[in-house]
Amino acid sequence: MEHYQARLDGVFQALADPTRRAVLGRLGKGPASISDLAKPFDMALPSFMKHIRLLEESGWISTAKQGRVRTCAIEKKQFAAVESWLSEQRAIWEARTDRLEKFVLSEEKPE
Amino acid sequence: MEHYQARLDGVFQALADPTRRAVLGRLGKGPASISDLAKPFDMALPSFMKHIRLLEESGWISTAKQGRVRTCAIEKKQFAAVESWLSEQRAIWEARTDRLEKFVLSEEKPE
């Protein structure tokens, strides 16, 4: 459970930045080299690499080096982590709605 | 668009912490006072209040004071922001899958 929570911290932290979200959006279209990924951003390469490393450490992307080119690919399983957190929240609200409904129905019953 | 991106930064930043996620989980069951929300956490009140303020600033919760008690309620619309970001990503992959499928089908055609 603690491991799951720590993983979620990283998963959401990675999403809290427009550059990192844009990189994930780009990688959704297919793998890309770091230099191609960096092109649309007006950012020094070391700064861009920090975003890449954070995405890799949080499990959102995997990278592989072939010759002098490092290619990044998206790890879609992390989206499942976000979705599973959302479903947990929905389950909580639905349980609440069920309780409210039961309460209203019980109040409506004639004595 | 920039406003949407800045809002998403805050939305995901708020989720990148186990205390804040636990508070949202608790508020999914219904509104609660800050002192009730703080109880399960082994944390000084000022530290806990930082989490509450961050949740409020990022739009995840609303708070209202009545007498000496401040009550917090969840803002479910923020979940819709997360869901809409997820759908955007899914649309990107599906477009990719469609292109791959068309490519494979065109390759399969006899010359």
Side-chain angles (χ1 to χ4, degrees):
Chain A
M1 197 57 187
E2 266 179 40
H3 175 73
Y4 169 69
Q5 289 296 339
R7 185 181 154 208
L8 275 185
D9 286 5
V11 161
F12 287 123
Q13 186 63 56
L15 298 181
D17 178 273
T19 302
R20 294 194 291 268
R21 288 195 303 273
V23 166
L24 290 180
R26 167 61 193 82
L27 291 177
K29 296 176 188 167
S33 70
I34 286 180
S35 53
D36 280 349
L37 283 174
K39 265 177 207 157
F41 301 100
D42 187 20
M43 198 182 283
L45 193 64
S47 305
F48 187 73
M49 287 305 294
K50 276 186 197 165
H51 290 301
I52 294 294
R53 271 195 295 275
L54 202 147
L55 285 170
E56 193 174 17
E57 282 160 15
S58 61
W60 274 105
I61 66 171
S62 59
T63 76
K65 203 165 181 176
Q66 206 169 17
R68 302 176 72 182
V69 178
R70 184 171 288 278
T71 303
C72 304
I74 202 163
E75 292 290 332
K76 291 190 186 172
K77 65 177 186 297
Q78 298 298 69
F79 288 95
V82 176
E83 276 170 357
S84 114
W85 182 78
L86 279 175
S87 319
E88 280 169 33
Q89 305 310 306
R90 247 183 254 115
I92 294 172
W93 314 333
E94 278 159 21
R96 187 196 173 197
T97 314
D98 287 353
R99 281 197 307 276
L100 283 174
E101 209 162 78
K102 269 181 200 154
F103 174 75
V104 171
L105 288 176
S106 72
E107 291 287 296
E108 278 173 355
K109 264 183 211 157
E111 301 274 316
Chain B
M1 194 62 186
E2 266 178 39
H3 174 75
Y4 169 69
Q5 288 297 338
R7 183 181 155 208
L8 275 185
D9 285 5
V11 161
F12 287 123
Q13 186 63 57
L15 297 181
D17 177 274
T19 301
R20 294 194 292 267
R21 289 196 302 275
V23 166
L24 290 179
R26 167 59 192 83
L27 290 176
K29 297 178 189 167
S33 70
I34 287 181
S35 53
D36 280 347
L37 284 174
K39 265 179 206 159
F41 301 100
D42 187 17
M43 196 182 286
L45 194 64
S47 306
F48 187 73
M49 286 307 293
K50 278 187 197 164
H51 290 301
I52 292 294
R53 271 195 296 273
L54 202 146
L55 284 170
E56 194 174 15
E57 280 159 17
S58 62
W60 274 105
I61 67 170
S62 60
T63 74
K65 202 163 180 178
Q66 206 169 18
R68 305 176 70 180
V69 177
R70 184 170 288 277
T71 303
C72 304
I74 201 163
E75 291 291 331
K76 291 190 185 173
K77 67 176 183 296
Q78 297 300 68
F79 288 95
V82 176
E83 276 170 356
S84 115
W85 182 79
L86 279 175
S87 319
E88 280 169 31
Q89 305 310 306
R90 247 182 255 115
I92 294 172
W93 314 333
E94 278 159 20
R96 187 197 172 196
T97 315
D98 287 352
R99 283 198 306 277
L100 284 174
E101 210 163 76
K102 270 179 199 154
F103 174 76
V104 171
L105 287 175
S106 72
E107 291 288 296
E108 277 174 356
K109 264 182 210 157
E111 301 274 315

